[in-house]
Amino acid sequence: MIRAVYPGTFDPLTKGHEDLVHRAAKLFGEVVVAVAHSPGKRPFFTIEERVALAREILAPIANVKVVAFANLLSEFVKAQEGNVIL
């Protein structure tokens, strides 16, 4: 199974993000939507709100999971056993 990781701040998750996840879910066995803390970008929504919104919007897609992360992307991808970064 190929696991794709889609990182971003998703502040907020847009229709474009959602479309990309839908298309990726058809190509890969699993898609991990990685919501970055990114306090330096001063996001409008908190990390908890961004994760909750993404989970709610992407819930109908069975092979998608939403996870928050604060470490380096390379470390996160390795921990998730990701094969592809979108």
Side-chain angles (χ1 to χ4, degrees), residues 1-6 20-34 61-67 76-77 79-86:
M1 171 179 68
I2 298 175
R3 181 173 291 124
V5 177
Y6 182 24
L20 189 84
V21 172
H22 275 281
R23 290 185 286 135
K26 293 176 186 175
L27 295 172
F28 303 108
E30 183 176 30
V31 178
V32 178
V33 176
I61 311 170
N63 62 333
V64 171
K65 72 176 183 178
V66 179
V67 181
F76 178 79
V77 171
Q80 294 294 314
E81 298 179 355
N83 308 100
V84 175
I85 298 173
L86 299 177

Side-chain angles (χ1 to χ4, degrees), residues 23-83:
R23 290 185 286 135
K26 293 176 186 175
L27 295 172
F28 303 108
E30 183 176 30
V31 178
V32 178
V33 176
V35 182
H37 279 271
S38 299
K41 289 187 175 182
R42 298 191 330 221
F44 182 77
F45 293 104
T46 67
I47 187 68
E48 294 82 12
E49 291 170 325
R50 290 181 280 143
V51 168
L53 285 168
R55 284 182 178 156
E56 182 178 336
I57 292 166
L58 301 173
I61 311 170
N63 62 333
V64 171
K65 72 176 183 178
V66 179
V67 181
F69 79 103
N71 55 335
L72 292 174
L73 178 59
S74 60
E75 293 172 357
F76 178 79
V77 171
K78 186 175 180 179
Q80 294 294 314
E81 298 179 355
N83 308 100

